[in-house]
């Protein structure tokens, strides 16, 4: 592997990732030892294979545009890749030479039982870190813009090989978490940075849990495709919709009337800026220990209390519970119940600390002015006064005033981003959440639609989640009017665009209610439910919930019902679920394979693509399903698809054909 020669100045954007890849290659060449020898070797080998990729990016013409402020997607990819490589480098050195308590058992006479338990917890935490880093690398490579960087086919194949290895590794690391996985880490934060070339150290470096759950980011591109009009995002409705393109900007709505505007661009830009700012964490103020989630060791945004009295970040403790654990991670005591109670006092203290130390994100509203896209400011003093008066009426005792106020807020929140900012700043969101349980159907309908509209603005998603809106939205989804159910489902989709929210929404009981709407709703309601379910099922922990709620039966019915207009939606959701063992068994049991083979022959190009992807997932390492595929004559349509299908369809068809050939040779 090449050494660490100095890169030319014009290649600054690739200097960091290339240096990290070469660092890992050098560490690997020195050899690994200890309990995690194989894990470190595998991870370092996979990263080393990316050297040619980064070198081709360095030599591409596109890299110069990044330096000139162009191609934000390319810059975002390099930023994500660099962050993932930094995490991999820290982890490899931390895990190297680490001795598991079982390996060290020859020294048992010198080691107390408590020390042994702590070592075991630290070992399991490092396993968890391997899972997180593997996921982070795969996520970064998903967004690789091959065409923009003019990557050669040979290197593309190499990257796809690395990705397939990362996915298999992620599955291996992604089993249920056990009750002692974080015991040592939870009692003693691991916060020392490590020099990867300082030999002999056995300390554990600055490891951070960087993933809230197993998110299937391989389907990330499908989200984009769906929202372009061919899939779940293709929702033609007769009320309030003027631009479905705004779905790209964190919403799925029948109330969205505004096109993608400058504020949407600012949201995308701020996401990239946040990634870059992670490199400056060393300059950040020291966070009080009580403000850190004991699981992630990160500043809590939505702290909740479990039955033992310990406080955790909601998404992390929910994932712990989703893993089948029944004990408190920190105290090891049994959880008497799984209720998560918001810790409002601690949340308030954290907010005050963030404000004092400048950690909190700057608000777009400053001194009665809102920043415009051109950098200038617009005075909104009069608007602020009017909105505050409206919110006071919303909270008043008069039902008539409340009904009029919530209708006006629905209208205002539909019109512009500025209105969404002003309404949130005026405190409308917590009041609207309370109105979701109002017995007045008109107030309830307008309240849920207002929350949907407000969620379009990225910052408002956090306010909605902090107001504990999900249980009330789910209640509307179960018992509201059909229009309210539709907009409740669309709101859940909008909020679930944030990965940590997928976990919280999935645990709230929303999935069975969405499946009911998928089966029995209006045409528009079914599409809203399908969109939300697709996005929620990207999180691995929600796939089992969806299967147990009966989603497979509903989806297969859509495939076989000649009057159904949702074949595309059904196939897209099935393609996400098919990798889950419980879902796989349910799909096969529902006699779906013949239906999928028929779609290979007669379906639209997009449907053929998804059908081949589902069949490939069903037939991997399953000789019975492969035999069924062969018996039903799938070879001919697959061969045709391998020649004439979309690029993804060709890959899936060729993989299936190769698998069939190998199975027949055995």
């Amino acid at each position: 592997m090449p050494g660490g020669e100095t890169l030319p100045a014009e290649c600054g954007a690739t200097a960091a990732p290339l240096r990290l890849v070469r660092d890992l290659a050098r560490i690997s060449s020195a050899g690994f030892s200890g309990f995690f020898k194989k894990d470190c070797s595998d991870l370092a080998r996979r990263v080393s294979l990316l050297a040619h990729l980064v070198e081709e990016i360095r030599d591409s013409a596109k890299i110069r545009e990044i330096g000139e402020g162009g191609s934000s997607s390319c810059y975002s990819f390099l930023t994500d890749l660099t962050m993932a490589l930094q995490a991999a480098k820290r982890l490899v050195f931390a895990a190297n030479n680490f001795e598991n308590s079982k390996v060290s058992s020859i020294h048992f006479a010198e080691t107390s039982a408590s020390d042994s338990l702590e070592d075991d917890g630290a070992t399991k935490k490092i396993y968890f870190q391997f899972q997180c880093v593997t996921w982070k690398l795969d996520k970064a490579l998903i967004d690789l813009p091959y065409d923009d960087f003019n990557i050669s086919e040979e290197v593309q194949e190499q990257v796809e090989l690395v990705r397939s290895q990362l996915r298999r590794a992620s599955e291996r690391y992604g089993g249920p978490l056990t009750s002692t996985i974080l015991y040592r880490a939870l009692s003693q934060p691991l916060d020392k940075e490590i020099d990867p070339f300082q030999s002999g150290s056995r300390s554990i470096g600055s490891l951070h849990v960087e993933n809230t759950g197993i998110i299937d980011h391989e389907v990330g591109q499908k989200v984009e495709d769906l929202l372009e009009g061919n899939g779940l995002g293709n929702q033609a409705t007769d009320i309030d919709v003027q631009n479905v393109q705004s779905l790209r900007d964190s919403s799925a709505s029948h109330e969205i009337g505004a096109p993608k505007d400058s504020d949407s661009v600012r949201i995308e830009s701020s996401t990239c800026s946040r990634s870059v700012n992670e490199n400056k964490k060393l300059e950040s103020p020291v966070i009080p220990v009580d403000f850190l989630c004991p699981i992630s060791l990160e500043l809590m945004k939505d702290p909740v209390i479990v039955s033992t009295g310990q406080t955790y970040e909601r998404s992390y403790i929910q994932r712990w519970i989703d893993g089948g654990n029944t004990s408190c991670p920190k105290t090891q005591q049994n959880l008497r119940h799984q209720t998560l109670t918001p810790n409002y006092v601690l949340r308030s203290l954290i907010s005050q600390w963030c404000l004092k130390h400048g950690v909190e994100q700057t608000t777009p509203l400053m001194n009665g002015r809102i920043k415009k896209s051109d950098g200038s400011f617009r005075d909104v003093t009069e608007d602020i006064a009017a909105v505050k008066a409206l919110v006071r009426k919303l909270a008043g005792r008069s039902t008539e005033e409340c009904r009029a106020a919530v209708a006006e807020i629905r209208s205002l929140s539909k019109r512009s981003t500025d209105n969404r900012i002003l309404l949130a700043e005026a405190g409308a969101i917590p009041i609207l959440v309370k109105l979701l349980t109002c017995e007045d159907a008109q107030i309830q309908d307008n309240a849920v639609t207002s929350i949907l509209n407000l969620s379009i603005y990225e910052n408002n998603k956090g306010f909605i989640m902090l107001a504990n809106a999900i249980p009330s939205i789910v209640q509307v989804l179960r018992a509201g009017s059909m229009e309210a159910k539709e907009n409740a489902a669309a709101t859940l989709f909008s909020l679930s665009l944030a990965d940590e929210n997928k976990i919280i929404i999935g645990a709230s009981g929303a999935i069975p209610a969405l499946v009911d709407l998928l089966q029995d709703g209006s045409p528009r309601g079914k599409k809203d439910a399908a969109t939300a379910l697709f996005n929620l099922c990207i999180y691995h922990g929600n796939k089992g919930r969806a299967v147990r709620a009966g989603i497979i039966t509903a989806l297969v019915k859509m495939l076989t019902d000649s009057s159904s207009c949702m074949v595309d939606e059904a196939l897209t959701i099935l393609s996400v679920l098919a990798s889950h063992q419980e879902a796989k068994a349910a799909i096969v049991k529902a006699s779906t394979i013949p239906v999928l083979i028929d779609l290979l022959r007669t379906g639209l190009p997009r449907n053929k693509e998804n059908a081949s992807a589902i069949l490939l997932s069903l037939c991997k390492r399953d000789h019975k399903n492969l035999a069924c595929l062969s018996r039903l004559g799938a070879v001919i349509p697959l061969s045709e698809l391998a020649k004439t299908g979309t690029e993804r369809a060709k890959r899936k068809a060729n993989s299936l054909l190769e698998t069939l050939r190998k199975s027949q040779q055995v």
Side-chain angles (χ1 to χ4, degrees), residues 387-388 390-396 402 405-406 409 423 426-438 443 447 451 454 463 467:
V387 167
K388 285 183 176 179
L390 191 61
V391 172
R392 282 195 295 271
K393 290 181 180 179
L394 189 69
C402 179
V406 74
I409 286 174
L423 285 163
I429 289 174
I431 303 172
L432 288 168
V433 169
K434 289 181 181 179
L435 292 178
L436 292 176
T437 56
C438 178
I443 290 176
I451 292 172
L454 289 169
F463 294 140

Side-chain angles (χ1 to χ4, degrees), residues 290-291 300-306 309-314 339-353 429-431 433-434 462-472:
D290 290 341
F291 294 175
M300 288 185 280
K301 298 177 182 177
D302 187 10
V304 293
I305 305 169
V306 297
Q310 298 296 322
T311 296
Y312 301 92
E313 174 65 27
R314 183 187 293 272
T339 302
L340 303 178
T341 306
N343 191 335
Y344 293 112
V345 174
L346 183 58
R347 184 192 298 171
S348 176
L349 291 172
I350 291 173
S351 297
Q352 293 172 27
W353 182 87
I429 289 174
I431 303 172
V433 169
K434 289 181 181 179
F463 294 140
I464 294 168
M465 296 301 293
L466 291 177
N468 199 29
I470 299 302
S472 298

Side-chain angles (χ1 to χ4, degrees), residues 98-106 115-117 119-121 123:
F98 178 81
E99 292 186 1
N100 177 270
S101 58
K102 294 179 181 178
V103 175
S104 305
S105 60
I106 58 174
D115 289 338
S116 179
L117 180 58
D119 284 344
D120 187 52
T123 302

Side-chain angles (χ1 to χ4, degrees), residues 451-584:
I451 292 172
L452 169 60
N453 292 340
L454 289 169
S455 74
I456 299 170
Y457 181 57
E458 189 69 19
N459 287 4
N460 286 349
K461 286 181 170 63
F463 294 140
I464 294 168
M465 296 301 293
L466 291 177
N468 199 29
I470 299 302
S472 298
I473 294 172
V474 173
Q475 184 58 35
V476 173
L477 187 61
R478 288 182 179 134
S481 67
M482 184 53 66
E483 181 187 356
K485 288 180 178 181
E486 292 162 358
N487 287 327
T491 305
L492 292 176
F493 168 73
S494 177
L495 296 173
S496 71
L497 289 169
D499 286 344
E500 62 271 19
N501 292 348
K502 290 178 175 66
I503 300 170
I504 296 167
I505 294 169
S508 70
I511 289 176
L514 286 168
V515 171
D516 288 343
L517 186 61
L518 183 68
Q519 291 177 309
D520 304 320
S522 64
R524 183 179 130 193
K526 289 180 178 181
K527 286 190 177 288
D528 286 328
T531 307
L533 285 165
F534 169 81
N535 211 43
L536 288 170
C537 287
I538 293 173
Y539 169 54
H540 194 76
N542 287 336
K543 294 178 183 180
R545 291 187 176 104
V547 173
R548 291 187 287 276
I551 192 172
I552 302 299
T553 302
L555 295 175
V556 173
K557 184 178 179 182
M558 290 177 185
L559 293 180
T560 55
D561 186 354
S562 58
S563 63
S564 174
C565 300
M566 294 184 63
V567 172
D568 195 20
E569 288 87 344
L571 285 170
T572 307
I573 299 172
L574 283 171
S575 69
V576 177
L577 293 172
S579 61
H580 188 272
Q581 280 303 116
E582 192 176 349
K584 180 178 175 180

